[in-house]
Amino acid sequence: MSNRSGPVAGAGVGRHLLIVDDDDRIRELLKEFLAREGYRVTGAAHAAAARRLMELIEFDLVVLDVMMPGESGLELTSWVRNKAQLSRTPVLLLTARGDPADRIEGLSRGADDYMSKPFEPRELALRIDAILRRTGVKPIMPREIKLGPALFDLERLELTRDGAPMRLTEAEAQLLKTLALNAHAPVERMDLSPDTADITGRAVDVQVTRLRRKLEVDPKNPRYLQTVRGIGYMLAPD
């Protein structure tokens, strides 16, 4: 995958994408590139993980690799189209096979578009944007989110509880903003850590514990800042 061309700035603000690819390198490159476009991006390494995520989270578009071990992207596309609550979710297929027959099969399964590997990230971003423009108006991101007695201002990075200001460290404020921009979707622990040297994610765990004391009525049984086992954390505002 080449990345010579620059991104289309801000094209994806407010949209949440799911990237499904068993190639860790491609999946992480796509997540990084599309995040720079303004998209909220969640990754899955195989179809089973993608199914679990789609049953929990409403995605604006799914990018699927066709050739994956186990269930293929074509089979997963058929599952999406036959699932009532997911049937209108746009799907873009990626494949190393460029034969017309493969493209026809992908589209016949219900895919909205089809791209062959290798591809330019800029072209992928433009195709995603074109699909999303056909499916409706981009949502406007809220300035504030309500978390029970607490209120978080995403622009000022200010937290209040029962109207009283709560002090946040810079790291806590950035972590809370990242979770707020991905509200109701799990965020991987390492995506929340600006310190790449912290390979354990321990610093994030400490910040989450402190934030829960400021946000939650019962920090030991969090309602708003939830742990997602095996992934990281999720913010569930009112």
Side-chain angles (χ1 to χ4, degrees):
M1 183 178 70
S2 170
N3 60 358
R4 293 191 301 271
S5 299
V8 183
V13 173
R15 296 292 196 173
H16 192 182
L17 309 181
L18 175 62
I19 308 297
V20 189
D21 198 308
D22 64 302
D23 188 316
D24 295 342
R25 184 185 65 87
I26 291 178
R27 190 174 66 253
E28 292 306 313
L29 283 172
L30 285 179
K31 285 175 63 177
E32 180 182 348
F33 178 81
L34 292 169
R36 291 202 305 268
E37 295 284 317
Y39 292 105
R40 298 157 56 195
V41 187
T42 298
H46 46 75
R51 282 176 182 253
R52 291 195 296 270
L53 286 166
M54 283 188 278
E55 288 176 336
L56 291 171
I57 303 165
E58 183 177 353
F59 292 99
D60 292 289
L61 182 142
V62 182
V63 178
L64 290 178
D65 181 33
V66 169
M67 300 180 66
M68 294 186 291
E71 186 177 3
S72 72
L74 293 173
E75 294 168 321
L76 188 56
T77 299
S78 295
W79 177 80
V80 169
R81 288 291 167 260
N82 291 321
K83 193 88 169 172
Q85 67 267 36
L86 300 175
S87 60
R88 297 177 64 86
T89 302
V91 173
L92 190 156
L93 290 174
L94 299 177
T95 181
R97 301 185 303 183
D99 293 340
D102 296 327
R103 176 182 173 85
I104 290 170
E105 183 178 3
L107 295 174
S108 70
R109 296 276 188 130
D112 294 84
D113 203 351
Y114 195 100
M115 285 189 66
S116 299
K117 298 178 181 178
F119 55 86
E120 289 284 349
R122 178 177 170 82
E123 181 183 357
L124 175 65
L126 288 170
R127 290 203 187 195
I128 289 173
D129 189 50
I131 294 171
L132 292 176
R133 279 189 279 107
R134 294 198 301 267
T135 61
V137 179
K138 295 177 184 177
I140 299 173
M141 295 299 290
R143 173 179 171 175
E144 297 178 331
I145 58 167
K146 191 174 186 304
L147 304 153
L151 194 69
F152 181 59
D153 187 316
L154 280 79
E155 294 183 7
R156 299 188 180 203
L157 300 184
E158 294 176 350
L159 177 69
T160 57
R161 181 168 173 172
D162 295 322
M166 303 292 292
R167 183 183 176 278
L168 294 177
T169 66
E170 182 178 350
E172 290 170 353
Q174 291 299 329
L175 186 147
L176 189 54
K177 180 179 180 180
T178 299
L179 288 168
L181 291 173
N182 293 276
H184 301 292
V187 181
E188 294 179 22
R189 179 181 276 100
M190 298 315 298
D191 288 342
L192 292 168
S193 177
D195 182 5
T196 55
D198 179 24
I199 60 173
T200 66
R202 175 60 181 163
V204 170
D205 296 337
V206 171
Q207 290 161 12
V208 166
T209 298
R210 291 174 178 168
L211 279 172
R212 282 174 172 162
R213 292 175 187 153
K214 299 171 183 179
L215 292 173
E216 304 283 355
V217 174
D218 183 359
K220 292 185 179 180
N221 296 286
R223 154 66 178 83
Y224 298 103
L225 211 175
Q226 302 174 5
T227 299
V228 182
R229 190 179 300 276
I231 299 178
Y233 296 101
M234 179 177 75
L235 198 67
D238 295 322

